[in-house]
Amino acid sequence: MKILFVNSGRPRAFVSIQSSIIDTLITKFKCKVRSISPQQFMTGNIEDAFLPDIILVFYGIFVQPKKILDVMRKGFKTVLWATEDPYQFDIYYDKTRMAYDYVFTNDLATIPYYNRENIYYLPACTDEKIYKPQQVNLKYKSDICIIGQGFPRRIRILNSLEPLLLKYKAKIIGQWDIWNEKLSPALKKLVTNYITDPCEVARYYNGAKININIHREWEDQAIPYNQNSRNIKAASLNSRTFDISACAAFQIVDNSREEVSDFFKPDKQIVT
């Protein structure tokens, strides 16, 4: 099978998961995969030369429905993998009303709202070649580790935990200064810059006695690109939940996602 994979078009986001998806399609499913950017897809006719069995659009925010309708008229099967539900549901809904043969969403709660055929839930995943138990050196060791972006809810929670985080050896890794909410001055000193190498992330997970995994908020309109006018409450787990678990590392995850008990036994496999 030949797959034309239209990547996210975001140079820092999704790099690791996109690489893992393509590797899995090639090695496990023996597909021939060509990866292109949304810009290449929108401005060219690469599909005519490659002649894929499936055009798989990942993330999809930068791909316009007109282009999808054009390739559908040519007879190509099209699939959207929506990765930002429910936060950007309004955008995905508009893009899929007429376009795409199949849509896969990352959040179970959004399925009834799409009001279309061929809409499926595709849960988050991990890559066990990267996220696995391992011994790490002192650089990666901590009592408490938090990795991610500084979404407002996460920052509010961390600020409330300031005395605890300062008492122990804590590491805060990622972009934590991009929204209006700010970490306290004392916690800012604990921040390590954003890490793009997933192998490095896995080492920090393995080196932590406790990993804190806080899901982002589904309703926060203070985030400019949140477009969830229907106020769909997120139900599904983030990929970090599975990444940490694959490392056999200890994590505390918030109980804001009802799906947690579908994949884990609370208080036995995971603490909420």
Side-chain angles (χ1 to χ4, degrees), residues 37-140:
S37 70
Q39 292 76 15
Q40 289 173 308
F41 182 56
M42 291 293 297
T43 59
N45 294 292
I46 296 173
E47 66 277 0
D48 293 335
F50 186 61
L51 296 177
D53 298 292
I54 295 173
I55 297 174
L56 173 55
V57 179
F58 184 81
Y59 179 62
I61 298 297
F62 302 129
V63 174
Q64 300 306 317
K66 182 180 182 303
K67 175 65 177 182
I68 298 300
L69 292 171
D70 287 344
V71 298
M72 289 174 69
R73 280 191 286 267
K74 293 178 182 179
F76 295 107
K77 288 292 182 184
T78 58
V79 178
L80 172 66
W81 189 340
T83 61
E84 295 298 294
D85 272 336
Y87 318 106
Q88 296 183 326
F89 175 81
D90 295 357
I91 299 174
Y92 285 131
Y93 179 80
D94 288 341
K95 288 180 178 293
T96 59
R97 281 186 299 170
M98 302 293 293
Y100 293 102
D101 295 291
Y102 299 91
V103 176
F104 292 90
T105 173
N106 65 295
D107 198 279
L108 185 62
T110 62
I111 286 182
Y113 293 89
Y114 273 98
N115 192 29
R116 58 160 291 157
E117 295 181 346
N118 297 325
I119 170 74
Y120 302 97
Y121 170 48
L122 189 59
C125 59
T126 190
D127 189 337
E128 293 179 314
K129 294 191 294 296
I130 297 172
Y131 297 98
K132 57 189 177 182
Q134 57 186 293
Q135 296 296 317
V136 297
N137 63 39
L138 187 62
K139 170 185 174 182
Y140 302 102

Side-chain angles (χ1 to χ4, degrees), residues 198-214:
C199 295
E200 282 284 279
V201 173
R203 294 184 188 105
Y204 281 105
Y205 288 153
N206 276 279
K209 293 178 182 178
I210 300 173
N211 290 282
I212 295 180
N213 177 14
I214 305 168

Side-chain angles (χ1 to χ4, degrees), residues 131 134 136-147 171-173 192-195 197-211 244 247 249-250:
Y131 297 98
Q134 57 186 293
V136 297
N137 63 39
L138 187 62
K139 170 185 174 182
Y140 302 102
K141 292 187 176 181
S142 64
D143 294 318
I144 302 171
C145 182
I146 306 103
I147 298 180
K171 293 183 183 293
I172 302 173
I173 300 169
T192 299
N193 288 335
Y194 185 77
I195 298 172
D197 182 356
C199 295
E200 282 284 279
V201 173
R203 294 184 188 105
Y204 281 105
Y205 288 153
N206 276 279
K209 293 178 182 178
I210 300 173
N211 290 282
I244 297 172
C247 292
F250 183 83

Side-chain angles (χ1 to χ4, degrees), residues 7 109 131 190 219 230 261:
N7 64 44
Y131 297 98
L190 305 179
E219 77 279 26
R230 294 164 179 80
S261 60

